[in-house]
């Protein structure tokens, strides 16, 4: 069954609407919300382009669809049929676009469409029980194909960003260290030069000094 | 009585302060243009000093109060600063003022004598000491001397009088030393009590000497005004004699007068309806703060209703995020300064230099102002609302939620309460804020709990009865709290049937505690507002209460206060839990018997709610009041799941908070539901011994969810100057704010001490403050039998008396029932300043004459009706009066009121006993006019609905109960009258003074 529902804008990860009594009987709902937020952040950076995806996390699974720069995400039990979950998101998407379509891009504040939560709650109730006639019919309906939708693990998804971060960090460290190396090499070169010519210079200097002293004394 | 503005005509005569302020205040004395010889006339003036000093004593303290010019605070403060070595005792203003003032005397009639004589004339003062210790004169001496002589621009003067030389350097140098000079004692002796207005007296000797024939007292009265007001209490204190002029006692007949001088100086401060400081001058040191015996703090009403056109602007910072100080988290406000060509800004509270985000950057113009200042309300307005980004949310904004917990036991149906309440709720369904997200739910209870399934698909609500009170469970997971717009029909069907369902209920038990727990379980997912409608004493289950009230034997003992605090810890615990889950509780109590408001009110107190109390509810009498107040509670704009914090500059700290709320951390007020009718008082303490900044900033920030689902931050910013002068603090005091703090402190005190103690504490605080003020001025005045007080605090004694006579604190057990007391206490803890002042000193006005006049217009009440002092003397038995304290309207019919008026207003039964008559509009102009007036009075203050009572003169005990007892200035029963109160205070001020 559906545990929580969030709608966010992909371009900047701004939350647009959320199911209200989400996480009612979830002991660690905060942790999952954090994961969702991290996921949105990843999406806004353009890491995951797939428009339909399922992400496993612990005993639950996130399903999301991205349509018109809006991400509709829901968290369900693993046992909950994937087909129904995506049907649910499809329903939300249709209604959301119908009601708020033109305003999505201009929304400036978080939860600008919080009024949508009443619809989320209503729809959620329809999908609560998988054995109702309506839902069974939907399950049997072969029109909607969900087999191709990729399933990945949340650590993997969130990890992609982390790895990229690591790589860029490493490369930047490499740049700065090579610069240091170049500086040091120059320095060494100069020192070697000095070491090589210094004795000669000193000898000549002494000789000239002697000459000069001699001239002076005479 | 002296008014300060009498002194103003003098101001133009003052020469402007010298451009160069030298190290000594004295040096700045003479006007630049004074010719050297002018030292002469002044010496002539000076000579008589030796003689008139003794006679000049009496005029200093004339019976009706000496008038002296008032120094305009800020003008004179500037020369004072820096020029006085010890800041703690630096009475800057007087120094500057006095010497600027000195040259005003008219030119001397006698020609200037040769300067050489100066020395000769000057020597006599050397022999003055025996005459000096007479008292007041030293001031005039001290100020007269340096004013006349210490004039650097007069070189001739300096050289010509060798004998003066030893004294002169002293005057010129920052630390005056007058070797062997008599006035040295004055200058150095009592610097701390050096009167700020000594300057005023500088004129004394001058005028007297120049015009020896001038009558001293009149010249005083005309030329000078006092800094303080005084009440002349010439008769022997303690005995009430006809000589005492009661009419001259100060009364706040114009309502609350806000000190507005600072609003003008700091136009970017937030309006005083949001934040009022008890004094707009913050003391610079702990020692000064400890001498200011009045409370130091503020009264905050964060959501006060703004009049049309002055709404708080709403700002969205967008992608730059909210601009806040990195260190102290202050929000950007008009007092921050931008530097580094606009790339950095300096926090005004902690003076930290912060970076300006790129999106917020703007160039500065030549004066350092941002170019885009006009487009940024947060940089020009003291009050703004900011749209909060996601970081300020722990969850999506909650919808407005109203949950009703209704007692349906026997008395509820019988009194008609159930019917009125359900009708009112039904009529408000359209106006509940937050459509279409608003949620609503109901639980009713008597000895069992009734839940209602209001699923939108049902046509009628389903009732579920739970009778297990020990182990409460909620029979349905959803649909107890439903979306109003979806389940509208079910909710309406429920409200229609509610009164009928229980009309024959004979159950008298009330399982309040379990019902509260059940409501908590339903609501704790989202929070919201819980309205408890309670009819009888909770008698079953947890939180069961005993009949413990009104036992007269407990009064006067040390146990007395326990009656006024919650009996069972259950209530405080529940309140704490509710606050945690953003549930705000309002309590409506209706019983004519004891219901233990003290315990029930605790729920409201700690969840930021309110208590409404309708003793002995009858729908025919109280119906309108309940209708109005419940409707207002449901429909007013409410801020949900909010927290409030007030920040202030370095060195000071808010140490205690008073009002209805729960303190979440040391300075964070948790307010599950807050609206415009709630105010909070707080007191501050100085943490550092010395404040070095010239000003102190305050910033109130309320983070809340608006009913429309927006998360917002309302920010109010204000600034107040730091002063080193106690007199200045008194001048800038705000009686309204002080009284608000006092009333809250007194009510809190009744929860831990006897009523008597609480009353005495108020009196003591006022006495201490006035005594300190008297000490400030007694040095140069013979105050004799006058009570002196600053103009700003002239109503303080009267309001103090009103607090002592207010319902929570008045008299003994017979004067008010315990429930009334507690309910009034909870109400007063939340009232904003203006409403509190109105309750403390209600309006009384005469209307019969106005009713007879044909005039039609009714634009401003103040034009039409004059407020009268609250004393029986104001009541004329031929008149018709209205008494209005914001909660009740009493129409008092004089015994000899023309029967026509009574007949016109009351219709046929005008001669009947008025307790049975209700005021209804009759078919005549006079009645319509009166009803319009009453309507207008009610509209002026919509937060409560004043009920209308009619009473005829002599109808005892009704008259005494309704009106006479509330005539604050009279002596009733064991209470003191205004005159006695003033005398008591005066006597105590003089003792150990």
């Amino acid at each position: 069954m559906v545990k929580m529902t969030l709608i966010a804008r992909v371009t900047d990860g701004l939350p647009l609407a959320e199911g209200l009594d989400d996480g009612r009987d979830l002991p660690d709902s905060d942790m999952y919300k954090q994961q969702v937020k991290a996921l949105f952040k990843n999406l806004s950076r353009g890491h995951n382009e797939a428009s339909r995806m399922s992400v496993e996390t612990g005993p639950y699974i996130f399903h999301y669809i991205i349509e018109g720069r809006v991400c509709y995400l829901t968290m369900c039990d693993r046992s909950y049929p994937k087909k129904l979950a995506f049907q649910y998101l499809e329903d939300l998407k249709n209604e959301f676009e119908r009601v708020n379509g033109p305003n999505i891009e201009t929304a400036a504040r978080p939860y600008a469409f919080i009024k949508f939560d009443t619809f989320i709650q209503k729809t959620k109730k329809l999908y609560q029980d998988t054995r109702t006639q309506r839902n069974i019919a939907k399950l049997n309906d072969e029109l909607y194909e969900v087999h191709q939708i990729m399933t990945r693990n949340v650590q993997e998804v969130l990890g992609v960003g982390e790895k990229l971060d690591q790589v860029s960090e490493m490369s930047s460290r490499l740049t700065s260290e090579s610069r240091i190396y170049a500086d040091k090499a120059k320095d060494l070169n100069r020192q070697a030069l000095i070491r090589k010519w210094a004795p000669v210079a000193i000898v000549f200097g002494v000789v000239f000094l002697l000459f000069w002293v001699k001239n002076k004394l005479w | 009585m002296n008014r300060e503005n009498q002194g103003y005509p003098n101001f133009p005569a003052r020469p402007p302060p010298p451009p160069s302020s030298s190290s000594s205040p004295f040096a700045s004395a003479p006007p630049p243009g004074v010719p050297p010889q002018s030292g002469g006339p002044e010496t002539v003036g000076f000579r008589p000093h030796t003689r008139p000093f003794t006679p000049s004593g009496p005029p200093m303290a004339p019976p009706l109060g000496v008038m002296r010019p008032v120094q305009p605070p800020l003008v004179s403060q500037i020369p004072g600063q820096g020029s006085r070595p010890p800041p703690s005792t630096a009475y800057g203003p007087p120094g500057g003022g006095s010497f600027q003032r000195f040259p005003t005397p008219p030119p001397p009639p006698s020609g200037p004598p040769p300067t050489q004589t100066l020395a000769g004339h000057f020597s006599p003062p050397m022999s003055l000491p025996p005459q000096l210790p007479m008292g007041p004169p030293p001031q005039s001496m001290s100020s007269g001397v340096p004013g006349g002589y210490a004039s650097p621009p007069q070189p001739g003067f300096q050289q010509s009088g060798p004998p003066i030389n030893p004294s002169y350097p002293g005057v010129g140098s920052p630390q005056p030393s007058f070797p062997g000079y008599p006035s040295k004692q004055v200058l150095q002796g009592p610097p701390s009590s050096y009167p700020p207005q000594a300057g005023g007296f500088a004129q004394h000797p001058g005028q007297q000497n120049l015009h020896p024939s001038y009558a001293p007292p009149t010249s005083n009265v005309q030329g000078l005004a006092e800094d303080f007001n005084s009440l002349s209490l010439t008769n022997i204190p303690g005995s009430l004699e006809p000589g005492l002029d009661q009419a001259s006692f100060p009364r706040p007949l114009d309502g609350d007068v806000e000190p507005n001088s600072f609003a003008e100086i700091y136009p970017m401060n937030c309006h005083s309806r949001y934040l009022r400081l008890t004094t707009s001058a913050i003391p610079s040191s702990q020692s000064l703060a400890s001498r200011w015996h009045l409370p130091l703090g503020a009264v905050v009403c964060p959501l006060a209703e703004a009049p049309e056109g002055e709404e708080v602007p709403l700002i969205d910072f967008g992608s730059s995020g909210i601009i806040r100080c990195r260190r102290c988290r202050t929000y950007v406000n008009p007092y921050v300064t931008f530097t580094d060509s606009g790339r950095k800004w300096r926090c005004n509270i902690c003076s930290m230099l912060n970076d300006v985000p790129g999106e917020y950057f703007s160039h500065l113009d030549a004066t350092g102002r941002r170019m885009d200042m006009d487009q940024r309300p947060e940089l020009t307005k003291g009050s703004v609302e900011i749209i909060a980004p996601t970081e300020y949310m722990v969850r999506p904004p909650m919808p407005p939620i109203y949950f009703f917990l209704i007692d349906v036991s026997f008395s509820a149906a019988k009194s008609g309460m159930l019917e009125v309440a359900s009708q009112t709720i039904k009529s408000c369904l359209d106006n509940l804020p937050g459509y279409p997200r608003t949620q609503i739910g109901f639980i009713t209870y008597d000895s069992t709990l009734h839940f209602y399934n209001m699923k939108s698909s049902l046509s009628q609500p389903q009732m579920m009865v739970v009778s297990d009170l020990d182990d409460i469970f909620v029979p349905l997971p959803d649909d107890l709290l439903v979306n109003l717009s979806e389940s509208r029909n079910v909710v309406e069907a429920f409200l229609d049937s509610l009164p009928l369902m229980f009309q024959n209920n004979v159950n008298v038990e009330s399982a309040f505690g379990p019902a509260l727990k059940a409501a908590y379980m339903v609501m704790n997912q989202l929070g919201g507002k819980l309205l408890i409608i309670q009819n009888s004493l909770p008698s079953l289950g947890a939180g069961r209460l005993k009949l413990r009230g009104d036992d007269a034997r407990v009064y006067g003992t040390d146990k007395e206060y326990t009656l006024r605090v919650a009996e069972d810890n259950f209530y405080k615990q529940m309140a704490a839990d509710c606050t945690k889950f953003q549930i705000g509780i309002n309590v409506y109590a209706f019983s004519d018997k004891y219901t233990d408001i003290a315990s029930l009110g605790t729920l409201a107190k700690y969840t930021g709610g309110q208590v409404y109390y309708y003793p002995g509810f009858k729908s025919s009498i109280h119906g309108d009041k309940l209708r109005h107040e419940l409707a207002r509670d449901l429909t007013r704009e409410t801020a949900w799941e909010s927290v409030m914090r007030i920040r202030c500059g370095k060195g000071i700290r808010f140490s205690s908070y008073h009002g209805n709320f729960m303190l979440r951390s040391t300075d964070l007020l948790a307010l599950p539901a807050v609206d415009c009718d709630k105010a909070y008082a707080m007191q501050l303490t100085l943490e550092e011994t010395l404040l070095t900044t010239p000003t102190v900033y305050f910033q109130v920030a309320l983070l809340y969810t608006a009913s429309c689902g927006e998360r917002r931050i309302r920010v109010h910013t204000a600034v107040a100057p730091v002063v080193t002068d106690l007199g200045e603090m008194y001048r800038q005091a705000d009686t309204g704010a002080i009284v608000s703090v006092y009333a809250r402190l007194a009510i809190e005190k009744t929860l831990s001490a006897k009523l008597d103690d609480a009353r005495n504490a108020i009196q003591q605080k006022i006495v201490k403050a006035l005594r300190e003020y008297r000490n400030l001025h007694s040095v140069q005045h013979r105050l004799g039998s006058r009570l002196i007080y600053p103009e700003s605090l002239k109503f303080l004694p009267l309001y103090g008396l009103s607090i002592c006579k207010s319902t929570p604190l008045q008299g003994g057990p017979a004067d008010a029932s315990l429930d009334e007391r507690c309910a009034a206490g909870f109400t007063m803890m939340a009232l904003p300043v203006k409403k509190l002042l109105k309750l403390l000193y209600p309006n009384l006005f005469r209307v019969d004459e106005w009713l007879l006049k044909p005039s039609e217009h009714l634009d401003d009440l103040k034009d039409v009706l004059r407020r009268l002092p609250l004393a029986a003397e104001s009541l004329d038995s031929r008149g018709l009066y209205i008494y209005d304290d914001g909660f009740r309207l009493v129409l008092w019919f004089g015994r000899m009121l023309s029967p026509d008026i009574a007949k016109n207003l009351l219709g046929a039964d005008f001669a009947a006993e008025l307790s049975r008559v209700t005021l209804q509009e009759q078919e005549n102009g006079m009645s319509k006019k009166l009803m319009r007036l009453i309507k207008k009075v009610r509209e002026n203050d919509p937060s409560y609905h004043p009920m209308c009572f009619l009473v005829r003169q002599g109808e005892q005990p009704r008259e005494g109960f309704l009106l006479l007892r509330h005539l604050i200035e009279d002596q009733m029963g064991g209470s003191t009258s205004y005159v006695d109160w003033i005398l008591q205070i005066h006597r105590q001020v003089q003792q150990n003074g």
Side-chain angles (χ1 to χ4, degrees), chain A residues 13-15 17-25 30 33 37 108-111 114-119 121-122 125, chain B residues 316 387-390 393 395-399 434-437 439 477-479 483 486 525-526 708-711:
Chain A
L14 186 79
E18 188 169 333
L20 250 196
D21 41 3
D22 282 349
R24 169 174 289 202
D25 23 62
D30 282 347
K33 281 197 181 170
K37 273 176 196 160
R109 62 184 179 85
Y111 299 107
I114 190 70
K115 280 176 186 157
F116 194 68
D117 66 10
T118 52
F119 181 83
Q121 250 158 309
K122 241 189 313 185
K125 273 180 200 149
Chain B
D316 187 1
I387 291 180
T390 347
M393 307 175 185
R395 57 175 188 178
M398 62 178 273
Y435 175 85
R437 298 178 72 215
Q439 298 193 4
D478 321 286
D479 298 325
N483 185 300
E486 286 169 13
Q525 284 308 317
L526 290 173
C708 61
E710 268 184 28
R711 194 89 171 133

Side-chain angles (χ1 to χ4, degrees), chain B residues 313-583:
Chain B
L314 188 63
I315 298 160
D316 187 1
F317 278 105
S319 54
S320 66
I322 296 182
I323 316 288
R324 295 178 74 178
C325 173
R326 259 186 301 141
R327 184 161 62 193
C328 64
R329 311 300 293 149
T330 300
Y331 295 87
V332 70
N333 61 66
Y335 296 105
V336 305
T337 43
F338 287 84
T339 54
D340 196 9
S341 61
R343 281 192 294 272
K344 294 232 157 87
W345 63 276
R346 189 176 289 283
C347 168
N348 55 331
I349 288 191
C350 69
S351 54
M352 164 107 175
L353 212 53
N354 294 277
D355 292 332
V356 176
E359 297 91 335
Y360 197 68
F361 176 79
S362 161
H363 288 286
L364 303 185
D365 65 9
T367 57
R369 266 171 52 104
R370 278 173 66 110
M371 304 283 227
D372 62 349
M373 195 78 137
D374 304 331
Q375 284 100 50
R376 299 241 178 236
E378 73 274 14
L379 297 179
T380 51
K381 295 245 164 57
S383 300
V384 289
E385 268 195 359
I386 302 168
I387 291 180
T390 347
E391 298 86 71
Y392 293 80
M393 307 175 185
V394 285
R395 57 175 188 178
M398 62 178 273
I401 291 174
Y402 293 91
F403 200 85
F404 296 87
L405 199 56
I406 304 175
D407 179 5
V408 291
S409 55
F410 173 67
S411 56
K414 201 189 76 178
S415 65
M417 179 281 292
L418 216 47
E419 193 174 351
V420 176
S422 44
Q423 277 172 4
T424 311
I425 297 169
K426 193 181 163 194
S427 68
C428 291
L429 289 182
D430 277 328
N431 300 323
L432 290 183
Y435 175 85
R437 298 178 72 215
T438 319
Q439 298 193 4
I440 195 166
F442 298 87
I443 290 180
T444 60
Y445 59 97
D446 41 25
S447 62
T448 53
L449 310 187
H450 321 132
F451 295 83
Y452 297 90
N453 179 357
M454 306 228 206
K455 202 173 168 150
S456 53
S457 50
L458 297 171
S459 61
Q460 281 285 321
Q462 284 174 348
M463 179 169 166
M464 283 155 285
V465 178
V466 172
S467 54
D468 182 1
L469 301 181
D470 296 326
D471 186 16
I472 298 297
F473 64 96
V474 178
L476 268 184
D478 321 286
D479 298 325
L480 294 176
L481 192 58
V482 293
N483 185 300
L484 177 62
S485 55
E486 286 169 13
S487 304
R488 179 66 186 262
N489 293 331
V490 194
V491 172
E492 279 185 3
F494 168 75
L495 289 171
D496 284 336
S497 57
L498 180 63
L500 300 173
M501 268 194 283
F502 295 101
Q503 63 181 348
N504 297 320
N505 193 358
V506 289
N507 200 330
V508 292
E509 301 287 354
S510 165
F512 173 74
L516 181 64
K517 273 189 171 167
Y520 168 75
M521 287 158 80
V522 175
M523 290 180 78
N524 68 11
Q525 284 308 317
L526 290 173
K529 201 171 197 166
L530 175 62
L531 293 99
I532 295 172
I533 296 179
Q534 174 67 16
N535 259 292
S536 48
L537 193 68
S539 59
L540 289 177
R544 174 175 49 235
L545 295 171
K546 291 192 290 286
L547 260 180
R548 56 168 179 161
D550 297 344
D551 181 2
R553 280 169 303 178
V554 189
Y555 278 90
T557 67
D558 291 339
K559 291 274 173 210
E560 181 193 299
Y561 73 88
T562 52
L563 293 177
R564 293 186 285 266
V565 295
E567 186 189 4
D568 197 335
N569 200 34
F570 169 80
Y571 289 92
K572 200 170 173 188
Q573 189 54 47
M574 277 311 286
D577 289 346
C578 287
T579 310
K580 204 156 92 195
F581 289 101
Q582 310 294 357
I583 302 170

Side-chain angles (χ1 to χ4, degrees), chain A residues 3 6 20 28 58 60 62 76 84 95 108 125 128 132 161 205 213:
Chain A
K3 294 285 180 197
L6 291 103
L20 250 196
D28 41 6
Y60 305 107
F62 295 129
C76 313
L84 272 189
E95 177 69 12
K125 273 180 200 149
Q128 206 74 285
T132 56
V213 168

